[in-house]
Amino acid sequence: MSGQNPTIIIIFGATGDLTAKKIAPALFHLWAKNRLPQKLKVVGFSRRALTDEKFQEYIQGLVKKDSHIKFNKKTLDSYLQLFNYQQGDFSVKEDYLMLEEYLEKLENDWGQKANKLFYLAVPPTLYEGIFEHLSSTKIAREQKGTWNRIVVEKPFGNDLKTAEKLDEILGKLFSEEQIYRIDHYLGKDLLQNIIAFRFSNNLLEHSWNNKLIESIEIHLNESSGIDDDRGDSYDPVGALRDVGQNHLLQMLALVTMDNPMNFSAKQIRQNRAKIIETLKPFTLQEIKKQTFRGQYEGYRKVKNVPDYSQTETYFKITGELKSPRWKGVSFVLESGKKLPSQRKEIIVTFKQTGGRKNKVVFSLEPREKITILFWAKKPGLDMEIEEREFDFSYRREHEQDGEQTAAYEKLLLDCLTGDQTLFVSTEEVRAMWRFIDPIIRAWQEDKVPLEIHKQRETPANKITRVRR
Ligand code: BG6
């Protein structure tokens, strides 16, 4: 882990939701597994007034609440010692100067310059201000023999224009190799396994094209709704920006990208970007015919959601892939809240032979598994054909619980070791916005009506696939 230099992780938004639910538990897992640098400090930077002790107590509460982590007191105590707190307002330059001074003090205590990982666990609307302050102070300046990296969460920008602007500001401080844009779906084991599964098994890869495949469906359907504490940050974003622009398109990229030949970060990121770039932005006509947006009944009662909100909590988009390998293959992207069931999966359907179709299904939820649907003779005297399943459960029973933080564990470790494979490149971000922007614009202009649907009902049965 980068020579002998110590490392400081600076968390902006240290008392927020993301730190509580993902970062603190994931770091703890890594600490318990001895995967973090030995010389490490985690500095929380947030508005709330806290002492180091109070912050450590807060972190302790989070770790204890996370019941599936087994730990002994010694591990927990040593983990808590990593945490320090620096109070600060993200919009006040003096607070950044104080932070800078504090980081220098830590370095002086070590007698060494430190690597720095700046983690922006804050709503994206705050990014720009934080970037500006980081660049107007010297906090993120290069120091010989150490690295500086920045981690940002999705959505990166609000549309193509704002994403480009953020890149421009970030580019003044950090090079692309230093920027880690998180899409936590890329950190999910089962999705990483798509690449392993596809490119290590000759059996499938040769049929993985438009000659044999008819459609690819991606569903991220959730039974939960928007909690009261999320109304204000969700409402300006909506489902398509929240999960469509990132998680769903990344899943589409993973099932359709070309073989990277080697599993290097550069090659994999390039191939993901290349396939997303082949998605042609829809015309207004296509948007009207092939996109659907809905909102569940009761969403407007969520705290801080206006009672006239036009924000979609559900969407379904159908289209056709355009790259030479996939030309003519239809795709479906669907996601929503308060739907009948929790169903997160990718379904690859093969063209029919003799009236029968095969499917390969990559499921994240309700269980992580890969299923191949095939046809076989029914046991017995007659030649009757029936559908059967090859079912491969990805995780054994006792390993199920860890999945939620496992993605963050992997991503945090990769930030620290400098592996960008599972992080979204600027080319990918831009290509994703290029496809999504026109749809959002048309929706904002009400070119596609918003359908209010009952909770636990799927609204969009009215939309049909592009072909077949
Ligand atoms: C997040 C979205 O990125 O992904 C949430 O902001 C969504 O709205 C979540 O619920 C789904 O992630 P997971 O890991 O629970 O499938």
Side-chain angles (χ1 to χ4, degrees), residues 154 184-185 188 222 230 242-243 247 337 344 365 404:
K154 61 95 219 175
H184 79 279
Y185 265 56
K188 284 184 187 275
E222 299 181 292
R230 207 182 166 205
D242 182 42
V243 298
H247 307 332
K337 304 275 184 193
K344 302 180 182 175
E365 289 187 35
Q404 281 301 313

Side-chain angles (χ1 to χ4, degrees), residues 59-240:
I59 298 290
Q60 173 169 295
L62 299 176
V63 172
K64 285 193 165 161
K65 210 171 89 199
D66 209 335
S67 58
H68 64 265
I69 306 178
K70 288 200 185 72
F71 56 87
N72 59 39
K73 187 168 176 322
K74 204 168 137 224
T75 310
L76 179 61
D77 287 347
S78 59
Y79 178 63
L80 297 177
Q81 289 310 308
L82 302 175
F83 286 81
N84 294 91
Y85 191 77
Q86 186 66 26
Q87 187 187 1
D89 183 327
F90 301 138
S91 61
V92 176
K93 182 168 177 184
E94 286 66 38
D95 291 353
Y96 288 79
L97 294 172
M98 304 247 291
L99 175 65
E100 186 182 346
E101 217 173 89
Y102 187 72
L103 299 179
E104 271 172 20
K105 183 184 148 312
L106 291 178
E107 290 179 319
N108 291 339
D109 292 348
W110 274 311
Q112 271 179 307
K113 295 292 176 208
N115 302 316
K116 297 192 187 83
L117 184 71
F118 298 93
Y119 199 125
L120 269 56
V122 296
T125 43
L126 299 177
Y127 285 179
E128 196 176 332
I130 295 177
F131 295 163
E132 295 286 5
H133 280 108
L134 283 178
S135 74
S136 71
T137 60
K138 288 197 226 125
I139 297 184
R141 73 184 179 284
E142 290 280 345
Q143 301 190 106
K144 214 169 154 226
T146 66
W147 51 253
N148 283 342
R149 294 179 189 139
I150 187 156
V151 184
V152 289
E153 287 282 335
K154 61 95 219 175
F156 189 75
N158 212 26
D159 53 20
L160 178 62
K161 218 165 121 208
T162 49
E164 283 175 346
K165 172 130 190 264
L166 286 180
D167 263 344
E168 194 188 310
I169 306 171
L170 257 187
K172 289 186 202 149
L173 265 179
F174 299 98
S175 63
E176 180 66 13
E177 290 70 40
Q178 295 173 291
I179 304 171
Y180 288 69
R181 298 179 194 82
I182 286 198
D183 178 326
H184 79 279
Y185 265 56
L186 288 178
K188 284 184 187 275
D189 256 342
L190 189 109
L191 296 183
Q192 289 171 48
N193 192 32
I194 291 181
I195 296 188
F197 186 79
R198 282 185 52 199
F199 302 126
S200 315
N201 296 300
N202 259 344
L203 185 68
L204 283 182
E205 194 51 21
H206 292 297
S207 1
W208 218 246
N209 52 49
N210 59 0
K211 287 196 195 73
L212 288 175
I213 288 177
E214 164 185 300
S215 70
I216 297 172
E217 287 177 43
I218 303 190
H219 305 276
L220 198 167
N221 296 357
E222 299 181 292
S223 47
S224 55
I226 299 298
D227 291 336
D228 275 344
D229 60 1
R230 207 182 166 205
D232 54 349
S233 59
Y234 186 86
D235 198 62
V237 175
L240 187 53

Side-chain angles (χ1 to χ4, degrees), residues 219-225 295-296 313-315 334-343 453-460:
H219 305 276
L220 198 167
N221 296 357
E222 299 181 292
S223 47
S224 55
Q295 186 190 81
Y296 68 82
T313 56
Y314 174 92
F315 67 83
E334 181 194 49
S335 180
K337 304 275 184 193
K338 287 273 185 202
L339 293 182
S341 60
Q342 193 79 1
R343 184 170 158 237
H453 69 93
K454 289 210 173 355
Q455 293 189 14
R456 312 267 170 251
E457 273 183 16
T458 308

